[in-house]
Amino acid sequence: MSRVVVVGGGPAGAATAIALARAGRPPLLLERDAAVSEKVCGEFLGADAARLLAGLGIELEALGAVPIRHAVLAAGRWQAEAALPFAAWGLPRATLDAALLCRAREAGAEVRLGAAVASAQEAGAGWQLRLGSGEVVEASRLVLATGKHDLRGLSRGSAGGALGLKLPLHGSLPATVALLSCRGGYAGLQPRPGGGANLCAALDPRTPGVAAAARSAEALMAHVARGSALAESLLAGLRSALGRPLAVAGVPYGFRHRGGGPFRVGDQAAVIPSFCGDGVAMALASGLAAAAAIDAGDPAARHHACWSAAVAGGMRLAGLCAMLHRRAPRLLVGAVSIAPVLLTTAALQTRLGAMPSRHRCRALVADSTTSGRS
Ligand SMILES: Cc1cc2nc3c(=O)[nH]c(=O)nc-3n(C[C@H](O)[C@H](O)[C@H](O)COP(=O)(O)OP(=O)(O)OC[C@H]3O[C@@H](n4cnc5c(N)ncnc54)[C@H](O)[C@@H]3O)c2cc1C
């Protein structure tokens, strides 16, 4: 008998699988990587992500996450600091994704690693998937949780944008997330558990120096260090753990899916500018909302319309903040140094918890996080 198939084992796919299994519909989850790996991500997890993870059975402290209490913005010689208006943490994505897939298995989902889906097409009332190995899998419902990667024939149709780069570093940092302006974009720098740090940049690939930064750890660190005095001093005490950064191209910031087709979750449904660091929370919440919609027999188009409307306001504000930081970084840093409340307000208003509550899918998210039926 065919069942729900979730393609992709990141936060969105794992959250969908856990919620479906708890609802008595254990799905098959197919993840192309043979072992859980690092993802291009700043690894900043705010209070929304922590609340959603707790509902899925994951306590960040128990996984060794580093508490982050302050944010500092820097551009040129300017810098501005503010206490975060909520609790936040830093945790390597490999640790988080492994814990989520473990919970999915415990809840009853079948999780297959090393199972890359090559294509999917509608077949009768369901879907037929072809794996890279040639195996064919039938699905009653299909959940697309492939993140930044489109499946052949089911592309998001979004025009590509930023280049995301990530570099794990050795050395130590204070419990602060630093948002460092640099040519063509910005980088986030924050501590990792057990020492070390994570440097993650979102850059315009057409900017001079960015192509070289994508090829070499040293070039990326130098590119970021040139953007501000703070970056220069912080990076001087750190050294790269890799020869070249991990990279993902064409990140379509601001994208929201509004059509039908398979159920799309996480970055397949909407991509919030990573400047505000709420992508993982949105991935988890969209997975929970999709699972609730599937359980209720809702069509995918209704779920997408609802999710898109629920996150539109927060995403617009996040886009505005990212645009200001890109186009007028010194002005933004100067304004925050005079009124730190600007930073705390923007941080609060781009959180999932601040997005409008009148939409039905938000209610579904709340239900499914608080009343796990395992
Ligand atoms: C530069 C940058 C910095 C960011 N910083 C932050 C941050 O600090 N905090 C935050 O909350 N968010 C951040 N984000 C956003 C966050 O990383 C994403 O929103 C989140 O990872 C989306 O989760 P997902 O499950 O949709 O996709 P992903 O995490 O990308 O997972 C998708 C999974 O699908 C698998 N897959 C892909 N194709 C196939 C296939 N054909 N078959 C089977 N499996 C497949 C992949 O291997 C992967 O495991 C950042 C993003 C960028 C680009």
Side-chain angles (χ1 to χ4, degrees):
M1 195 186 74
S2 77
R3 55 184 157 164
V4 180
V5 176
V6 179
V7 183
T16 312
I18 295 168
L20 283 169
R22 285 178 174 179
R25 297 172 181 270
L28 169 64
L29 184 151
L30 302 170
E31 163 56 47
R32 69 178 181 182
D33 288 347
V36 177
S37 59
E38 290 287 356
K39 303 268 164 56
V40 174
C41 183
E43 302 181 347
F44 177 88
L45 297 169
D48 294 313
R51 175 180 55 83
L52 291 161
L53 287 166
L56 294 166
I58 291 178
E59 294 300 335
L60 287 169
E61 283 96 341
L63 288 181
V66 189
I68 295 176
R69 297 295 172 248
H70 290 83
V72 54
L73 291 179
R77 283 181 292 107
W78 293 72
Q79 74 184 60
E81 184 167 349
L84 285 169
F86 45 74
W89 289 267
L91 186 69
R93 278 293 303 274
T95 309
L96 178 65
D97 290 12
L100 279 163
L101 288 178
C102 184
R103 292 292 172 278
R105 280 204 180 94
E106 287 165 5
E110 183 187 348
V111 175
R112 279 173 64 183
L113 299 182
V117 175
S119 64
Q121 60 185 47
E122 285 188 88
W127 293 81
Q128 192 177 70
L129 281 65
R130 188 168 294 276
L131 272 55
S133 61
E135 185 187 347
V136 172
V137 171
E138 308 286 339
S140 59
R141 299 271 201 137
L142 173 62
V143 179
L144 221 50
T146 52
K148 294 137 194 106
H149 313 278
D150 283 339
L151 208 58
R152 184 149 39 99
L154 291 172
S155 156
R156 286 173 292 185
S158 53
L163 173 68
L165 299 174
K166 167 174 173 165
L167 198 58
L169 301 164
H170 295 301
S172 67
L173 276 183
T176 296
V177 56
L179 292 167
L180 308 164
S181 177
C182 60
R183 213 167 166 208
Y186 67 91
L189 180 66
Q190 65 176 49
R192 290 187 125 189
N198 184 45
L199 177 69
C200 193
L203 301 169
D204 181 339
R206 297 162 301 183
T207 305
V210 169
R215 286 193 300 268
S216 136
E218 215 174 290
L220 174 60
M221 290 173 76
H223 185 86
V224 176
R226 275 193 293 274
S228 64
L230 179 68
E232 193 179 9
S233 72
L234 289 174
L235 289 171
L238 301 166
R239 66 200 153 77
S240 174
L242 299 175
R244 64 184 292 167
L246 305 175
V248 61
V251 181
Y253 288 130
F255 165 79
R256 284 182 289 135
H257 179 73
R258 274 162 279 194
F263 280 80
R264 290 182 191 257
V265 295
D267 281 359
Q268 283 288 312
V271 183
I272 190 165
S274 48
F275 183 67
C276 297
D278 218 20
V280 168
M282 281 183 50
L284 297 168
S286 66
L288 296 172
I294 290 170
D295 195 33
D298 283 354
R302 188 188 301 166
H303 161 71
H304 295 141
C306 185
W307 181 251
S308 169
V311 297
M315 284 185 59
R316 273 192 217 105
L317 181 61
L320 183 69
C321 295
M323 193 264 285
L324 267 174
H325 194 243
R326 209 171 45 244
R327 299 222 178 134
R330 290 169 202 212
L331 181 72
L332 185 73
V333 176
V336 171
S337 68
I338 294 164
V341 69
L342 289 174
L343 182 66
T344 47
T345 305
L348 278 173
Q349 291 306 314
T350 51
R351 296 297 101 188
L352 204 56
M355 297 184 193
S357 58
R358 63 180 182 277
H359 300 286
R360 185 167 168 256
C361 51
R362 291 261 308 123
L364 291 175
V365 170
D367 285 349
S368 42
T369 43
T370 51
S371 63
R373 281 181 261 165
S374 56

